[in-house]
Amino acid sequence: MTPTPASPTRPSPNDLQSHLYASFLQRKTADVALRISGSWNAVYRLHRVVLIQAGYFQSLFTSGFSESRAKRSSHRADSEYIDIVFDDLNITRAGKVCIARLYGGGPPLWISPTLIPTPTSPLTPAFSSGPDYTPEQQGTFLPATLDISSSFSLPEGHHPASPRFLLSLLATATFLSIPSVASQALSAILRTVGPHTVIRYLNFALGRGIGPPDDVFSGGDYADRESEPAVGLEQVAELIVEDDSSFESLVNTPTREDPPVVSSEGDSAKEEPKHSHIGSAVDNDSDADSEYHEDVGGQGTAQIPEPIYYYGAMSDKVGEAASCWLTRWGIDMLRYEQQALSSVVGKMPEVRWSSSTQQTQWAADRPGSAPPEMRGSRHAVGRAGRIEPAVPVIWRRGGLTARWVRGILSSDALFVRGEKERYEMARDVVEIRRAARVAGETGEPEEVEEAEFEPLFREGIYYANMHLDDLMAISQDRSPSTGKPIVPLSVLQAAHWNYSALYHRITARALGSSSPSLSPSGGVKELGLGMSDADILKESLQSEEQNAAFYPIPGDSSLRLGDSTGLEGASMEQLFDLGTKKGAHSTEANFFGLEQAHRPAAAFVTGSASGSAATQWTSHPPFRFAVEFWDVDALKEKSRLHSHTVWYAGSLYNVYVQVVRKKGIQLGIYLHRQSTVDPIPASSTPVVQMLPPPPRDRSVVGRGSSASVSSPRPPSLAGSSIFRSHSPAPMSPLARTSTTASAPTSPAAASSSALSSSLPNSPGFARSSANLHGSSNSVGSLAGMPVMLPAMVPTGAPPQPYRDPRSAVSAYFTIACASATGASLTRFTSAPDVFSVSQSWGWKSSSLRAEEYLEVDAEGQSAAVVMPARREVSLRATVVLGVV
C-alpha cells in the first residue's frame, strides 16, 4: 500500500505522536486511570488505545475481562479507575519509562562510563591497572543502536540508569510485555556486568530481586535518583497518600523491606467509586519459587519462604553473563579482596572496609581527580596518593552464597592455572569466610556453608592430576579456623591411586599396539577407559563404590553463553526463547551452564545421570588448565602465539592462537601435542616495561591512520613498529582444523588435505589439515627500549614423571574462550581425536568475536598496533583434556 503523502492540511504521524505524548504528560482526555499499588502508590491517567501496544494491557482490555468494557455513566466524564497491585518487588517507578515509551517519548537513558567494561578497560575504567591511570573522558562505549548515552557527564534531559534501575526496567517491561524496552534493558545489563554489578545481577537472575538502592554509586549523578521520578515525567503521576479514603479499596498491598518511595510529583488522587482490582500475575508454581533462600536468616528461627521472581530466559541470560564474568575474573577479584582485608590489619590504613555487600568506608578522596559520579564513592586514596579502585564484596560473606562459591571454584571454566592453584584459591576463599564467621560477621549459618565446602574440597578439585609433592603438602594443610585438615587424607590417597592406575594403563601397553585406529570406536576404546552407563551400574553395586566419580566423554559441540546476539528487535516470544537454540538449558540448577562435569556412581543407580548427553564415561578426571595471551592483535597472519606447556598423562601439550584472514579476520585457537625432543616454544607474556601515560586528548588516541572500530589503545612514541595485514573477506562460520608442525625455516604456506571427521557434516562445521609455519616474533621499540609485540618469554619443559611411548594418542578436549570483558564465553568441545606428536586440533571461528581481541578499522582490516596492552587486556581460555 502506497503511504499517504504529507500535506499541509493533514497532520503527519509525528504530529500525532507528539499530540498523544502531550496528552500523556498533561493527563488530558484519558479514558482509563491506573491506580498503582506496590513499591509506590500513584494514579496514572492514560489512554487505552496506546496501552494495548503492551501485551499485558492488550489482554486486559481486549480479551473479555471486565476491564474490556468501559463503565461510564451518562452524567460522569471522568476516566474509569482500575486498581493494579504490583506484588513483584522488582517493579518500581521505572515503569513510568515503560509507559512513556508506549507514547513514543520518555527521557533518554544515560549510563556512567565508569560502569561499562571495554576491551581496553575490561574491569571497568576504575580498575584499569598502571600507576599512570586516572579516570579520563573516553568517549561513548555503547553502540548507537542501543540508544543509551554513555558520555562522560550526564547530558541534560537524560535519566541516569543505575544497575538497579536497569533491572527494574527489565522486570517491568517483561511483566507488561513491552519487548522493545525489555530488549534494551537486557542489552544494557549484559554490557554493564562488572566488579560492582556482578553480584546484584546474579542475585536478580536467582530470583532475589533488584537489591537495595545503590550505595557504591550513590554519589554525584546517581545520588538519590532511586526515589525521584524519571526526568521529564515529574507531573505524570498523581500521588496517593495512605490516609486517602479511596486507598481503602486496595487490599493485600505488598510490603517491602524499604518503606514506599515518596515523592512530590503531581496532586493527590481524586476519589472514584468505580474500581477494578488487578494483581500482578506472578507464577508461584515453579520449583524455583519454593527454593530456600540461602543467604537469609539465622539459626534457631523458622525460615519464611521468600518470593522468587523468575523472568524465564531473560533471567537465565543475566545469570549466564554474571557467572561467565565470575569464572574469568574470580581470581583477580580475590586478590583485590585480599588486599582490602589486609588494610583492616593496618597494612594499608588508608582504606577501611565494611562487611556488607558493596559498602566501602572511605578515608579520603583525591580532589579533582575523579568524575562527579565517582567522587566520594568509587575510589580510595592509596599509597603515593594514587586513586585505588573500590573493591566490592564478591568472595567474602555478603557476596556469593556458599553454594555459588562451590559452583564457581569447581567449574571447568574457572580461569586458574592448574589444579594446585585451584586448591589454593579455594582454600583462601573458604578461610576468609570462616574467619569472618568466627569474628561474628553476619551471613549464612555454619552448617550451610560447611555443607558446601566439604564437597568443594572432596570433588571440586582433581587431585589425581597433581604431583605427589603437592599432595604431600596439601595433606599437611590444616584450617586455622577449625584446626582440621582441609582435605581428608582418604581423598588424597584415592587421588594418588587414580593417578597410578592411569600411569599403569599407559606405560604397561606393548609398543606394538600403540597405533590407534582412526575410527571413532577404535579411538574411544584405545586404552579401555570408556565406560557405558551399564558398566558403571555393575561397579556401583558395591556400597563403597557409590561415591566414586565418573566424568563424561563428550561429543562434538559448540556453545556460547552470555552473549547479547538476537536481542535487537526481538519479540517477547523470541526473548523468552533465547536459550532454546543453544542445545543446552542453562539454569540456576547447573550454574547457568558452567557446572562441573561429573556424576557420582550413585546417580547412575537412581537415574539422575540420565540427563547428561554423554554416552561414555571415564573414572579418570580430565586435566584442567588455563592459558592467557597478550597483544593478540600484534600477531602476524599464520604466526603462532603459544601458551605455557603442560604435562598430562605422559605427553606435553600447549595451546596457541593464530590470526586467520582467509575468510575474513578470524581468530583460531588450537590444542597442540608438543614433541618432547623439539624446543619448547616461548609463551605469551605481558609487556612489563613502564609505559608513558595515555594522552588526555581523545582526538589523538588511535591505532593507525584508520579509525578503529573497537576502543583504541594509547599511541606509542615515534619509532614504534607498525604491523598491518590486509585481505579483508566476509566472516565464515565455525571451522575446526588440524595442523601439524614443520620446519620453522620453511616459507609461510598453507596447504589443505581432507581428513575424516566426527563433526557434523554441515555448513556450520568444516575440518581440514594444514601445515602452517612462520615466526611470530615482531620487534619494535618504545621510548628507546626494545619491545616485542606480542611479547614472549622462553620457557622450559615442565616436570615429566613419565612419558607415553605411543606416537599417537586419542583424547577429548574442550576449549572455553572468555570474551574480552568476561560477560560471555564461547565453548568448543571435541569428541576423542587422534593426536600424533606435533599435531594440533582446534577451531577458527567468527564466534570467537575476533574484533574483541583484534583491532579492526572501518574497512574490516586489522588496525596498526602501536602500544602494548595493559596486563588485564588479554585473551583467556580454559582447557579440559582427557585421554581415552
Side-chain angles (χ1 to χ4, degrees):
M1 180 177 178
T2 304
T4 304
S7 169
T9 62
R10 186 182 301 111
S12 69
N14 288 337
D15 294 333
L16 179 59
Q17 184 272 327
S18 299
H19 171 72
L20 291 174
Y21 188 57
S23 300
F24 165 68
L25 294 177
Q26 299 168 13
R27 307 198 299 267
K28 292 182 178 179
T29 64
D31 58 1
V32 64
L34 301 183
R35 186 165 185 170
I36 304 300
S37 177
S39 63
W40 85 108
N41 303 297
V43 171
Y44 297 90
R45 300 186 179 276
L46 306 170
H47 307 81
R48 292 172 184 254
V49 68
V50 176
L51 292 179
I52 61 173
Q53 296 175 93
Y56 175 86
F57 293 112
Q58 174 78 17
S59 299
L60 185 66
F61 294 142
T62 65
S63 299
F65 296 108
S66 59
E67 290 77 19
S68 302
R69 298 179 295 276
K71 302 175 183 178
R72 294 188 178 277
S73 58
S74 58
H75 63 280
R76 188 180 296 273
D78 289 335
S79 53
E80 175 191 358
Y81 273 56
I82 297 178
D83 290 336
I84 298 181
V85 178
F86 289 129
D87 53 6
D88 183 341
L89 303 185
N90 297 330
I91 298 178
T92 67
R93 284 192 287 184
K96 289 205 298 184
V97 174
C98 293
I99 298 300
R101 294 291 189 261
L102 295 178
Y103 284 84
L109 302 181
W110 172 82
I111 299 177
S112 170
T114 60
L115 282 176
I116 304 172
T118 67
T120 52
S121 296
L123 277 175
T124 68
F127 276 82
S128 293
S129 63
D132 60 288
Y133 174 76
T134 54
E136 295 292 341
Q137 184 170 356
Q138 298 283 322
T140 182
F141 293 133
L142 298 175
T145 55
L146 192 56
D147 195 26
I148 297 179
S149 173
S150 59
S151 60
F152 180 64
S153 59
L154 176 64
E156 184 178 359
H158 285 60
H159 187 78
S162 67
R164 188 174 188 266
F165 177 90
L166 292 174
L167 293 174
S168 179
L169 191 66
L170 175 61
T172 308
T174 302
F175 175 79
L176 297 178
S177 189
I178 307 177
S180 59
V181 180
S183 62
Q184 182 194 44
L186 181 56
S187 296
I189 290 169
L190 298 181
R191 291 179 180 274
T192 53
V193 180
H196 290 284
T197 61
V198 64
I199 296 298
R200 183 187 295 274
Y201 288 168
L202 179 62
N203 285 335
F204 174 84
L206 300 179
R208 294 172 184 156
I210 61 178
D214 294 283
D215 43 22
V216 164
F217 306 108
S218 60
D221 292 313
Y222 281 135
D224 299 325
R225 295 302 180 112
E226 296 287 346
S227 59
E228 294 180 1
V231 174
L233 303 180
E234 294 83 357
Q235 304 302 318
V236 168
E238 299 174 358
L239 182 67
I240 295 178
V241 293
E242 293 191 8
D243 57 356
D244 192 333
S245 59
S246 63
F247 187 76
E248 298 175 358
S249 65
L250 301 178
V251 295
N252 297 327
T253 301
T255 59
R256 292 178 56 88
E257 286 184 16
D258 305 320
V261 177
V262 179
S263 72
S264 59
E265 59 184 339
D267 300 324
S268 60
K270 300 177 182 179
E271 183 177 353
E272 268 293 334
K274 298 178 291 182
H275 294 281
S276 295
H277 183 84
I278 307 295
S280 59
V282 178
D283 182 7
N284 291 318
D285 295 332
S286 66
D287 295 337
D289 290 331
S290 59
E291 176 185 326
Y292 171 70
H293 197 168
E294 296 178 324
D295 57 352
V296 175
Q299 303 181 35
T301 59
Q303 296 291 333
I304 300 177
E306 293 196 0
I308 301 297
Y309 298 109
Y310 177 62
Y311 304 94
M314 284 176 283
S315 288
D316 293 339
K317 181 62 70 174
V318 175
E320 286 180 12
S323 54
C324 287
W325 191 95
L326 288 167
T327 57
R328 189 196 201 277
W329 297 110
I331 185 65
D332 303 86
M333 298 313 300
L334 176 59
R335 295 191 186 106
Y336 278 112
E337 293 190 74
Q338 288 174 322
Q339 293 174 4
L341 289 173
S342 70
S343 69
V344 177
V345 296
K347 294 183 179 179
M348 296 175 62
E350 295 88 350
V351 185
R352 299 183 300 273
W353 299 90
S354 67
S355 60
S356 57
T357 303
Q358 295 186 348
Q359 290 182 352
T360 305
Q361 302 163 358
W362 304 104
D365 288 324
R366 181 179 175 182
S369 61
E373 74 279 1
M374 296 166 61
R375 291 174 188 161
S377 58
R378 288 295 307 278
H379 289 77
V381 177
R383 288 164 292 191
R386 180 189 170 197
I387 295 296
E388 300 285 351
V391 180
V393 175
I394 293 178
W395 293 109
R396 291 168 283 173
R397 286 167 69 87
L400 292 170
T401 64
R403 179 178 180 273
W404 270 85
V405 166
R406 173 180 62 82
I408 296 298
L409 289 176
S410 62
S411 172
D412 294 346
L414 177 67
F415 181 84
V416 65
R417 186 179 179 90
E419 292 299 331
K420 178 185 177 183
E421 291 77 11
R422 185 186 297 265
Y423 163 77
E424 292 170 346
M425 181 180 178
R427 179 195 61 196
D428 291 347
V429 169
V430 168
E431 289 307 319
I432 286 174
R433 295 174 71 101
R434 283 174 174 169
R437 191 175 65 222
V438 171
E441 291 191 11
T442 58
E444 294 173 292
E446 178 179 357
E447 59 270 18
V448 173
E449 286 198 324
E450 293 301 326
E452 299 293 344
F453 297 159
E454 189 274 332
L456 167 62
F457 288 109
R458 176 170 45 85
E459 303 171 351
I461 301 166
Y462 298 159
Y463 305 99
N465 292 324
M466 292 187 186
H467 296 293
L468 181 59
D469 290 343
D470 295 331
L471 297 183
M472 296 294 291
I474 292 174
S475 68
Q476 302 300 316
D477 268 356
R478 290 183 173 271
S479 169
S481 302
T482 66
K484 299 178 181 180
I486 294 179
V487 183
L489 183 59
S490 60
V491 172
L492 301 176
Q493 290 172 336
H496 187 57
W497 174 263
N498 189 294
Y499 165 88
S500 300
L502 181 59
Y503 160 75
H504 176 77
R505 185 67 69 95
I506 292 173
T507 59
R509 295 180 61 86
L511 294 179
S513 62
S514 62
S515 298
S517 169
L518 288 179
S519 66
S521 60
V524 171
K525 298 295 185 181
E526 183 186 352
L527 288 178
L529 299 182
M531 303 175 66
S532 65
D533 292 12
D535 296 331
I536 297 175
L537 282 173
K538 293 178 182 178
E539 289 199 1
S540 60
L541 294 178
Q542 301 179 10
S543 58
E544 61 269 18
E545 299 293 334
Q546 291 289 313
N547 293 326
F550 291 88
Y551 308 88
I553 299 175
D556 297 311
S557 66
S558 64
L559 179 66
R560 187 165 174 87
L561 299 173
D563 66 306
S564 58
T565 56
L567 298 182
E568 185 179 354
S571 65
M572 289 306 300
E573 291 77 12
Q574 291 171 325
L575 290 175
F576 278 114
D577 290 340
L578 286 174
T580 59
K581 298 179 180 179
K582 297 181 300 186
H585 194 37
S586 301
T587 66
E588 187 274 341
N590 61 12
F591 299 101
F592 299 109
L594 298 179
E595 182 181 27
Q596 178 189 11
H598 84 290
R599 294 289 186 275
F604 294 87
V605 177
T606 61
S608 58
S610 59
S612 173
T615 59
Q616 290 282 313
W617 303 78
T618 176
S619 61
H620 297 282
F623 187 81
R624 302 184 293 189
F625 65 102
V627 296
E628 189 167 15
F629 303 94
W630 289 270
D631 293 298
V632 176
D633 48 355
L635 192 62
K636 297 172 64 176
E637 185 175 9
K638 299 181 181 178
S639 297
R640 297 179 179 182
L641 183 60
H642 286 82
S643 72
H644 66 286
T645 300
V646 300
W647 176 90
Y648 164 64
S651 297
L652 297 177
Y653 296 91
N654 51 51
V655 177
Y656 65 86
V657 293
Q658 280 185 323
V659 177
V660 181
R661 295 180 177 86
K662 189 174 181 180
K663 295 183 178 180
I665 300 179
Q666 295 179 301
L667 191 62
I669 187 164
Y670 303 88
L671 177 64
H672 177 71
R673 188 185 180 202
Q674 177 68 36
S675 170
T676 57
V677 297
D678 291 340
I680 302 298
S683 62
S684 177
T685 187
V687 176
V688 297
Q689 287 90 343
M690 184 65 67
L691 301 178
R696 295 174 180 269
D697 184 1
R698 174 67 181 174
S699 63
V700 303
V701 176
R703 296 178 63 83
S705 58
S706 301
S708 178
V709 173
S710 56
S711 298
R713 299 181 190 157
S716 71
L717 300 178
S720 297
S721 295
I722 303 295
F723 309 112
R724 189 179 188 87
S725 298
H726 302 279
S727 303
M731 285 291 185
S732 66
L734 173 68
R736 179 158 168 249
T737 60
S738 171
T739 64
T740 54
S742 56
T745 57
S746 302
S751 60
S752 301
S753 62
L755 286 182
S756 60
S757 173
S758 57
L759 283 172
N761 185 17
S762 68
F765 292 84
R767 185 176 178 182
S768 64
S769 177
N771 295 323
L772 302 175
H773 14 275
S775 173
S776 61
N777 296 341
S778 301
V779 181
S781 64
L782 175 65
M785 297 181 294
V787 174
M788 175 185 295
L789 291 182
M792 290 174 286
V793 60
T795 56
Q800 302 176 61
Y802 65 90
R803 292 187 180 181
D804 190 334
R806 298 171 296 166
S807 62
V809 300
S810 182
Y812 64 89
F813 63 100
T814 295
I815 300 179
C817 299
S819 65
T821 60
S824 63
L825 176 147
T826 303
R827 184 167 64 204
F828 302 113
T829 301
S830 171
D833 263 318
V834 176
F835 280 84
S836 299
V837 175
S838 300
Q839 186 174 13
S840 307
W841 282 106
W843 295 266
K844 59 177 185 288
S845 172
S846 57
S847 65
L848 284 178
R849 297 188 64 181
E851 69 272 11
E852 293 188 348
Y853 313 104
L854 306 175
E855 301 287 354
V856 294
D857 60 24
E859 298 178 356
Q861 300 183 19
S862 59
V865 179
V866 291
M867 175 68 85
R870 292 188 176 98
R871 185 179 185 90
E872 70 270 20
V873 180
S874 63
L875 166 59
R876 287 182 170 181
T878 54
V879 183
V880 178
L881 170 64
V883 295
V884 294

